[in-house]
């Protein structure tokens, strides 16, 4: 007698009431396929069937934590899969993934960053180099002194109004005079014993030597004629100015740098203004200066008024040159700060404003220009010397240089020695 419902035995499956049966009797619970894990047991006589009836598979008893009867059967509860699935539980696939190779990632990130920096630096260099206006040809200067130690720059501030609108001329109090003249002249010496910044008063009495015209190529012999220093520039431009300074000092000038009114104001505005300590109240209608004594930040328009003022100062042009030195050193210091150099939104406008407005000699490079700015910064920081050309008096309304002091000063500069001479 079979205790199981009819249709479960192997003898009467065809007539039972399962799927496909025509019987109206309800279908019993289906037997779920059992999944075995591990190796298939070898063929052979199996254990005797329990008295469950014909056609019912033997059901092994649970003896360990992995299956029934130690034969590798897995119910699925130990792996998170109730039915089949090969025993792979949740999270197993993630654990099988290889760990990220951080060393490789860091290496390629570093290579990418370095590549971007190199490309940016090279691109910036060629962009900046292409903007330099190399208009002055020092090879046209004749009878030049021998070169000494260190490097000498002639820095000129001109009153050029080129490219300025009528409104800008009015705002900057520049007037509308045609042509251009030198408003300030300085010699910057750089070397192993610090930097020295020397102002040459525009009213200095100098001799105009023989020279070759920068445009005509014609040689003009010297006649011993004396005039103000800034007249040399007005007569035949930068080349004659360099020739006149070298003739009257005996010092060879290696590079020439010039900036006009508008360019100067634009650089100051691009850098965000320059902080400076004004030693006294200044009010000058001609330059537009109107300042109170004390530390303050000047914008481009105010800065130009400050460096051009001379009528409101007791020492006139000599005091003005001191203010110019002070301001240019402060400007160079401001340009070289990390807040400017490391900020592309400030660095590129500053470089663009400066390079667009500078006129330099044909041999001037970006590294020469950078060296000049760093030297001016060192003067501002107290690591250099700033002075006026030594003056002994006046002649014909012009300032006469102290010949003995000038000779000693030039000798110290040529030998790149520490300057001991003092100026006015």
């Amino acid at each position: 007698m079979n205790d199981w419902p009819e249709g479960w035995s192997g003898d009467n499956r065809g007539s039972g009431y399962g799927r496909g049966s025509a019987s109206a009797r309800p279908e019993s619970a289906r037997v779920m396929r059992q999944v075995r894990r591990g190796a298939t047991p070898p063929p052979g006589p199996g254990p005797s069937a329990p008295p469950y009836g014909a056609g019912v598979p033997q059901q092994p008893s649970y003896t360990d934590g992995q299956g029934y009867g130690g034969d590798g059967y897995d119910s699925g509860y130990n792996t998170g899969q109730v039915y089949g699935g090969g025993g792979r539980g949740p999270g197993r696939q993630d654990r099988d993934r290889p760990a990220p190779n951080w060393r490789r990632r860091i290496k390629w990130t570093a290579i990418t960053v370095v590549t971007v920096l190199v490309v940016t630096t090279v691109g910036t260099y060629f962009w900046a180099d292409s903007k330099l206006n190399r208009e002055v040809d020092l090879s046209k200067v004749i009878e030049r002194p021998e070169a000494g130690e260190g490097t000498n720059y002639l820095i000129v501030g001109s009153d050029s109004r080129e490219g300025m609108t009528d409104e800008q001329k009015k705002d900057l109090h520049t007037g509308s005079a045609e042509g251009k003249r030198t408003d300030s002249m300085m010699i910057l010496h750089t070397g192993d014993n610090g930097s020295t910044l020397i102002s040459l008063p525009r009213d200095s009495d100098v001799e105009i030597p023989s020279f070759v015209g920068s445009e005509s190529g014609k040689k003009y012999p010297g006649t011993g004629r004396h005039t103000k220093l800034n007249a040399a520039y007005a007569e035949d431009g930068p080349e004659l100015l360099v020739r006149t300074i070298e003739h009257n000092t005996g010092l060879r000038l290696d590079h020439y740098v010039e900036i006009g009114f508008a360019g100067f104001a634009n650089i100051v505005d691009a850098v965000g203004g320059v902080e400076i300590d004004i030693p006294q109240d200044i009010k000058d209608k001609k330059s537009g200066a109107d300042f109170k004594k004390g530390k303050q930040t000047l914008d481009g328009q105010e800065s130009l008024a400050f460096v051009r003022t001379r009528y409101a100062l007791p020492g006139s042009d000599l005091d003005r040159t001191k203010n110019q030195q002070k301001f240019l050193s402060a400007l160079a210091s401001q340009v070289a700060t990390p807040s400017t150099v490391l900020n592309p939104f400030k660095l590129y406008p500053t470089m663009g404003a400066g390079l667009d407005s500078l006129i330099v000699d044909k041999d001037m490079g970006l590294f020469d220009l950078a060296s000049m700015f760093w030297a001016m910064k060192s003067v501002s920081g107290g690591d250099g010397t700033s002075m006026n050309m030594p003056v002994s008096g006046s002649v014909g309304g012009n300032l006469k240089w102290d010949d003995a002091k000038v000779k000693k000063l030039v000798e110290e500069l040529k030998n790149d020695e520490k300057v001991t001479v003092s100026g006015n």
Side-chain angles (χ1 to χ4, degrees):
M1 181 75 180
N2 192 346
D3 295 334
W4 289 86
E6 183 180 354
W8 277 39
S9 68
D11 298 331
N12 56 4
R13 290 186 186 194
S15 61
Y17 57 85
R19 177 173 299 183
S21 172
S23 174
R25 295 165 62 182
E27 183 177 275
S28 300
R30 299 186 181 93
V31 177
M32 305 303 297
R33 181 182 297 246
Q34 303 299 315
V35 179
R36 290 181 179 275
R37 302 182 59 186
T40 304
S48 60
Y52 297 143
V56 178
Q58 180 181 358
Q59 305 296 309
S61 61
Y62 183 88
T63 59
D64 57 26
Q66 295 187 351
Y68 292 90
D71 63 352
Y73 174 82
D74 188 353
S75 66
Y77 288 101
N78 290 327
T79 63
Q81 284 185 243
V82 177
Y83 305 116
R88 185 183 290 270
R92 178 71 175 271
Q93 185 174 1
D94 293 336
R95 291 196 301 272
D96 288 345
R97 286 179 182 169
N101 190 335
W102 290 107
R103 180 176 297 177
R104 180 188 177 93
R105 291 186 180 184
I106 292 173
K107 181 184 78 172
W108 281 107
T109 300
I111 291 174
T112 302
V113 171
V114 170
T115 301
V116 170
L117 288 176
V118 169
V119 170
T120 302
T121 301
V122 172
T124 299
Y125 175 85
F126 284 105
W127 166 77
D129 189 72
S130 68
K131 294 179 76 67
L132 274 180
N133 301 309
R134 297 182 173 92
E135 299 179 6
V136 179
D137 189 356
L138 296 183
S139 67
K140 295 179 180 179
V141 180
I142 62 174
E143 301 175 22
R144 308 192 67 185
E146 292 184 3
E149 300 293 328
T151 304
N152 299 310
Y153 300 84
L154 177 61
I155 304 171
V156 174
S158 75
D159 63 359
S160 173
R161 299 158 179 84
E162 185 177 352
M164 295 176 63
T165 64
D166 291 338
E167 184 178 356
Q168 287 176 318
K169 293 176 183 178
K170 181 179 179 181
D171 290 341
L172 298 177
H173 297 268
T174 64
S176 299
E178 295 298 327
K180 58 182 181 179
R181 287 155 292 278
T182 53
D183 214 49
S184 62
M185 291 159 284
M186 302 178 190
I187 294 175
L188 174 66
H189 173 84
T190 64
D192 295 334
N193 284 291
S195 302
T196 303
L197 186 61
I198 308 162
S199 286
L200 310 175
R202 57 181 287 178
D203 294 337
S204 297
D205 183 78
V206 294
E207 178 186 350
I208 301 296
S210 58
F211 67 96
V212 173
S214 59
E215 296 295 334
S216 66
K218 179 182 176 181
K219 184 172 182 178
Y220 297 88
T223 61
R225 173 171 57 99
H226 280 247
T227 185
K228 292 181 179 181
L229 180 58
N230 67 338
Y233 181 94
E235 187 172 332
D236 198 52
E239 289 84 1
L240 180 55
L241 178 63
V242 170
R243 166 72 175 130
T244 300
I245 293 175
E246 289 186 345
H247 174 78
N248 285 268
T249 62
L251 182 68
R252 186 184 180 99
L253 301 174
D254 301 292
H255 291 294
Y256 178 93
V257 181
E258 177 186 326
I259 187 169
F261 282 161
F264 179 82
N266 289 339
I267 293 175
V268 175
D269 286 335
V271 83
V274 175
E275 185 180 72
I276 192 167
D277 190 3
I278 298 178
Q280 65 187 70
D281 292 350
I282 300 176
K283 190 173 182 65
D284 184 0
K285 289 184 179 181
K286 289 192 174 183
S287 68
D290 188 3
F291 306 113
K292 296 295 182 182
K293 178 182 178 180
K295 186 176 291 186
Q296 52 202 283
T297 299
L298 306 183
D299 62 19
Q301 179 180 336
E302 294 167 335
S303 300
L304 186 58
F306 177 72
V307 299
R308 293 184 62 221
T309 296
R310 64 169 176 163
Y311 294 105
L313 303 176
S316 188
D317 201 35
L318 291 177
D319 282 349
R320 177 171 70 166
T321 55
K322 292 177 183 178
N323 285 343
Q324 290 171 346
Q325 290 178 346
K326 185 176 183 179
F327 187 86
L328 288 179
S329 296
L331 174 60
S333 182
Q334 178 69 25
V335 170
T337 57
S339 63
T340 299
V341 175
L342 301 180
N343 183 356
F345 297 103
K346 186 180 284 189
L347 175 63
Y348 284 98
T350 301
M351 291 178 63
L355 295 172
D356 279 340
S357 56
L358 289 179
I359 296 175
V360 299
D361 65 89
K362 293 185 179 296
D363 295 327
M364 186 77 154
L366 288 177
F367 290 109
D368 298 313
L369 196 60
S371 176
M372 183 192 79
F373 271 99
W374 280 107
M376 292 182 68
K377 181 178 182 294
S378 70
V379 172
S380 174
D383 295 330
T385 302
S386 60
M387 58 183 290
N388 279 324
M389 185 65 82
V391 174
S392 60
S394 63
V395 54
N398 299 334
L399 296 174
K400 186 177 184 334
W401 292 349
D402 187 319
D403 293 335
K405 286 187 176 182
V406 169
K407 183 178 180 180
K408 183 170 180 58
L409 172 63
V410 170
E411 183 180 343
E412 290 175 340
L413 295 177
K414 277 187 172 182
N415 296 327
D416 195 23
E417 299 172 350
K418 188 172 181 60
V419 172
T420 60
V421 177
S422 60
N424 299 80

